[in-house]
């Protein structure tokens, strides 16, 4: 594998924690390429059926990985997705799990039109730290970090932290 000049970053967490907002702004500030897995799947029709219970398409994980593999080996990619154990460990230099207060998350998801089981399951996912535990199992513990994502101040602090980390990574690897 050729040496990457820029790091790959995974932004993960329960739907509604602010991954997309953070990822897009981070891409602007760092020049890295932002990839939202939901959008990528939609554009390439990378689905494997439809989940009636949650009223959403089922991601074809193998096709998503195949689609991104070459781009990831080049480096410089920010990946945004609410799951993380489908991606190869070798892809990421750092993993950020965004965390949001449950009452705030509930309000955000309600505003998105989430109801019933889908709403409850996503809030429970946050309460039980499901995505964080998934990340800790899927990746080296040294590269997995939790970030609070409740307020605009949290967002700005997270941006500054990740931009600083990215700049340091590039100094250390180039």
């Amino acid at each position: 594998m050729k040496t990457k000049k820029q790091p790959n970053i995974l932004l993960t967490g329960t739907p509604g924690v602010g991954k997309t907002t953070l990822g897009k702004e981070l891409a602007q500030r760092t020049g890295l390429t932002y990839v939202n897995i939901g959008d990528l799947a939609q554009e390439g029709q990378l689905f494997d059926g439809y989940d009636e219970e949650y009223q959403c398409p089922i991601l074809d994980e193998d096709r998503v990985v195949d689609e991104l593999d070459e781009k990831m080996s080049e480096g410089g990619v920010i990946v945004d997705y609410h799951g993380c154990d489908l991606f190869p460990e070798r892809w990421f230099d750092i993993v950020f799990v965004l965390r949001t207060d449950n009452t705030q998350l509930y309000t955000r998801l309600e505003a998105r039109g989430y109801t019933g089981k889908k709403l409850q399951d996503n809030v429970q996912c946050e309460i039980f730290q499901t995505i964080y535990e998934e990340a800790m199992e899927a990746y080296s513990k040294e590269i997995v970090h939790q970030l609070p994502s409740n307020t605009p101040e949290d967002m700005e602090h997270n941006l500054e932290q990740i931009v600083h980390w990215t700049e340091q990574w590039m100094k250390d690897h180039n």
Side-chain angles (χ1 to χ4, degrees):
M1 193 162 109
K2 65 181 192 238
T3 314
K4 298 182 304 196
K5 299 224 180 295
Q6 295 177 305
N8 288 328
I9 299 170
L10 175 60
L11 299 178
T12 190
T14 310
V17 295
K19 298 177 298 294
T20 302
T21 307
L22 181 67
K24 287 178 175 175
E25 183 62 30
L26 191 58
Q28 284 198 314
R29 292 193 192 184
T30 60
L32 302 181
T33 303
Y34 170 76
V35 176
N36 178 303
I37 296 298
D39 294 346
L40 178 81
Q42 192 68 48
E43 289 159 16
Q45 288 301 298
L46 306 175
F47 299 118
D48 189 23
Y50 190 80
D51 186 319
E52 292 298 334
E53 188 175 20
Y54 289 103
Q55 297 292 301
C56 64
I58 299 165
L59 195 67
D60 185 332
E61 296 179 355
D62 291 339
R63 286 176 61 208
V64 167
V65 170
D66 290 347
E67 181 77 21
L68 273 178
D69 202 40
E70 191 175 327
K71 184 190 286 267
M72 295 305 291
S73 68
E74 293 165 9
V77 182
I78 300 164
V79 172
D80 160 357
Y81 192 57
H82 59 259
C84 60
D85 58 359
L86 67 138
F87 305 117
E89 187 176 359
R90 70 179 186 278
W91 276 10
F92 298 107
D93 299 290
I94 198 157
V95 175
F96 293 104
V97 182
L98 301 185
R99 303 296 311 277
T100 299
D101 174 75
N102 306 325
T103 48
Q104 279 208 17
L105 184 64
Y106 189 94
T107 306
R108 289 179 191 176
L109 292 176
E110 245 184 355
R112 286 187 177 187
Y114 283 40
T115 58
K117 182 171 174 51
K118 188 173 184 177
L119 177 60
Q120 295 302 329
D121 286 356
N122 278 293
V123 172
Q124 271 189 335
C125 181
E126 186 65 10
I127 291 169
F128 295 124
Q129 301 186 46
T130 307
I131 309 290
Y132 177 65
E133 288 177 7
E134 193 179 282
M136 291 296 278
E137 287 173 21
Y139 303 99
S140 164
K141 289 172 181 36
E142 295 78 35
I143 70 164
V144 177
H145 305 273
Q146 293 188 76
L147 296 174
S149 184
N150 296 302
T151 64
E153 292 76 26
D154 286 345
M155 175 76 68
E156 189 54 42
H157 182 256
N158 293 342
L159 278 164
E160 288 168 7
Q161 231 182 328
I162 301 171
V163 166
H164 176 75
W165 178 89
T166 303
E167 289 167 350
Q168 191 58 52
W169 188 97
M170 288 163 68
K171 276 184 198 151
D172 294 346
H173 292 84
N174 290 311

